[in-house]
């Protein structure tokens, strides 16, 4: 698949430095077949963006942690949402596979079921069970303070993935690994303009509140529309919480209240797939009468592009396992770790979706 983002610095292929990890690769809540940690063709691994604006960085000495050999170590992974979501299933599978490759002694995995209090309790439980490194996919950007405080007091480094917390880097956590969500939104606006010929009445299905994914995907889209695509008129926006059933219900409501809607931008694939059903229920043809653009790259959504029901999907790659353990190894080796480690994301459209279906998750 041709990458349309900023230049890459390197691919994380065959072996990850000092860890021997073989590469295997925001959020949604629909029913999916659990994917493996890698695409069927073995491709589409995460690529780290080369960027200058990554914060001051963090070292083991500055963080105040002790050296650790990942081989044989006890590592905790706090997942934010149920693995019935394709993104989360792929993310968890990738963490498990990479832990096996590294030779981690024990990987302890918890799931917060999208509840912040449970994630705080999960992390505290992992600390009580003796984890030496924490990988955290936060439920929200705010509110993890008690858990992060407990990790700091226990001397356990924390690496966050896919959602950035508002806490202090190199004090409350080492680094954030994830996508540029603002850029994803801007690219979705470009894809929407392409799909609609630059003229459309657009409804936005927002993700859940309280996290940077929703905020940035929305800001990026709106700013790009204002700057580059004045023919796209945003006529409605409403939260659907990254869920397929809510996406369908909200889209049905918006189409009823505003029958002139000709395009829907969904913050993730699950809401987009719900919108497909809503458009059909309205007696319209998704992808034709109502253009649909979303973000994630789930297999169901990419198949919907092939079927002509979704027009474009901006990828958000969930395969964080190799990058997470490579970053941890570099940290324990004494290297300076950037505040933000940003990955590049692909895009699926009618021209490449079928050929690249194996890269979807």
């Amino acid at each position: 698949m041709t990458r349309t983002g900023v230049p890459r610095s390197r691919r994380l292929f065959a072996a990850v430095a000092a860890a021997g990890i073989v590469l295997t690769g925001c959020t949604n809540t629909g029913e999916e077949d659990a994917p493996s940690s890698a695409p069927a063709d073995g491709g589409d691994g995460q690529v780290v963006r080369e960027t200058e604006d990554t914060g001051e960085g963090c070292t083991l000495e500055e963080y105040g942690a002790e050296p650790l050999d990942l081989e044989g170590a006890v590592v905790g992974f706090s997942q934010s949402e149920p693995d019935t979501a394709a993104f989360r299933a792929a993310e968890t599978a990738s963490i498990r596979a990479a832990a096996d490759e590294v030779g981690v002694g024990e990987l302890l995995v918890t799931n917060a079921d999208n509840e912040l209090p449970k994630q705080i309790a999960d992390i505290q439980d992992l600390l009580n069970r003796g984890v030496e490194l924490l990988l955290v996919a936060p439920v929200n950007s705010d509110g993890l303070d008690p858990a992060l405080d407990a990790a700091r007091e226990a001397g356990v480094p924390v690496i966050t993935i896919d959602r950035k917390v508002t806490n202090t880097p190199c004090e409350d956590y080492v680094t954030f690994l994830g996508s540029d969500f603002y850029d994803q939104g801007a690219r979705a606006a470009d894809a929407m303009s392409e799909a609609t010929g630059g003229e459309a009445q657009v409804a936005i299905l927002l993700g859940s509140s309280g996290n940077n994914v929703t905020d940035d995907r929305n800001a990026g889209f709106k700013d790009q529309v204002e700057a580059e695509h004045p023919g796209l008129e945003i006529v409605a926006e409403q939260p659907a919480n990254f869920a397929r059933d809510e996406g369908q219900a909200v889209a049905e409501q918006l189409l009823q209240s505003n029958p002139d809607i000709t395009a829907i931008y969904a913050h993730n694939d699950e809401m987009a797939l719900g919108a497909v059903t809503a458009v059909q229920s309205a007696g319209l043809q998704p992808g034709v009468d109502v253009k649909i653009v979303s973000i994630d790259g789930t297999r169901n959504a990419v198949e919907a592009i092939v079927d002509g029901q979704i027009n474009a999907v901006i990828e958000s790659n969930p395969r964080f396992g190799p990058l997470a353990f490579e970053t941890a190894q570099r940290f324990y080796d004494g290297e300076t770790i950037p505040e933000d480690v940003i990955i590049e994301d692909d895009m699926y459209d009618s021209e490449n979706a079928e050929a690249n279906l194996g890269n979807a998750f």
Side-chain angles (χ1 to χ4, degrees):
M1 183 186 304
T2 300
R3 292 184 180 265
T4 56
V6 296
R8 73 194 66 186
S9 60
R10 54 194 164 88
R11 278 193 180 274
L12 301 173
F13 278 131
V16 174
I21 304 172
V22 177
L23 182 63
T24 56
C26 178
T27 352
N28 49 52
T29 55
E31 294 183 359
E32 302 275 358
D33 294 333
S36 66
S37 59
D41 66 359
D44 201 37
Q46 289 182 336
V47 176
V48 176
R49 171 188 295 186
E50 186 174 307
T51 178
E52 297 178 0
D53 185 17
T54 56
E56 295 182 359
C58 186
T59 66
L60 185 69
E61 182 178 2
E62 291 168 333
Y63 198 81
E66 297 294 326
L68 177 68
D69 186 353
L70 289 175
E71 186 174 356
V74 181
V75 177
F77 174 47
S78 173
Q79 178 59 278
S80 59
E81 298 173 18
D83 281 352
T84 51
F87 184 98
R88 298 302 170 186
E91 186 175 69
T92 300
S94 179
I95 295 291
R96 290 187 185 278
D100 286 343
E101 289 290 341
V102 170
V104 164
E106 186 174 12
L107 178 70
L108 304 177
V109 179
T110 60
N111 196 300
D113 293 327
N114 211 24
E115 297 179 7
L116 181 61
K118 185 176 186 307
Q119 184 161 52
I120 292 171
D122 286 346
I123 292 173
Q124 292 172 331
D125 179 62
L126 289 171
L127 293 169
N128 290 336
R129 294 168 68 184
V131 298
E132 299 166 281
L133 169 68
L134 269 170
L135 307 177
V136 178
V139 170
N140 289 330
S141 295
D142 296 315
L144 272 180
D145 305 62
L148 297 178
D149 288 346
R152 185 174 62 250
E153 291 174 8
V156 176
V158 175
I159 292 175
T160 64
I161 62 174
D162 81 56
R163 283 180 183 165
K164 186 175 174 65
V165 294
T166 56
N167 301 79
T168 306
C170 207
E171 181 177 326
D172 299 314
Y173 67 100
V174 176
T175 185
F176 160 72
L177 314 180
S179 296
D180 183 337
F181 305 116
Y182 182 93
D183 181 62
Q184 288 177 340
R187 293 174 64 201
D190 293 339
M192 182 65 79
S193 181
E194 178 70 21
T196 61
E199 301 286 337
Q201 303 279 300
V202 183
I204 301 177
L205 300 181
L206 303 167
S208 56
S209 61
N211 67 79
N212 69 312
V213 179
T214 295
D215 294 342
D216 289 353
R217 285 179 180 173
N218 211 42
F221 185 87
K222 286 183 169 182
D223 288 351
Q224 187 72 351
V225 164
E226 182 178 358
E228 300 292 340
H229 309 298
L232 300 180
E233 182 183 357
I234 299 171
V235 298
E237 58 183 290
Q238 188 170 324
N241 297 310
F242 291 125
R244 189 184 302 195
D245 57 348
E246 292 189 55
Q248 178 180 343
V250 171
E252 287 175 348
Q253 173 192 333
L254 294 177
L255 288 166
Q256 289 171 3
S257 61
N258 192 337
D260 293 331
I261 288 171
T262 57
I264 294 174
Y265 164 47
H267 283 189
N268 81 333
D269 287 350
E270 285 304 312
M271 294 188 294
L273 290 164
V276 166
T277 303
V279 171
Q280 291 171 328
S281 297
L284 301 171
Q285 188 173 350
V288 178
D289 300 319
V290 179
K291 309 296 186 181
I292 300 174
V293 172
S294 67
I295 300 173
D296 262 352
T298 65
R299 187 175 184 89
N300 283 356
V302 178
E303 287 176 341
I305 296 177
V306 176
D307 294 338
Q309 296 179 326
I310 290 178
N311 301 90
V313 171
I314 308 302
E315 182 195 45
S316 195
N317 195 325
R319 301 177 178 100
F320 284 98
L323 179 59
F325 282 99
E326 180 215 12
T327 302
Q329 188 62 63
R330 290 171 52 212
F331 174 70
Y332 286 118
D333 286 345
E335 294 186 33
T336 300
I337 305 302
E339 176 182 331
D340 299 320
V341 178
I342 303 301
I343 62 172
E344 295 182 21
D345 294 306
D346 285 324
M347 184 181 82
Y348 299 90
D349 59 20
S350 60
E351 294 183 359
N352 65 18
E354 187 169 10
N356 292 288
L357 187 58
N359 291 337
F361 54 88

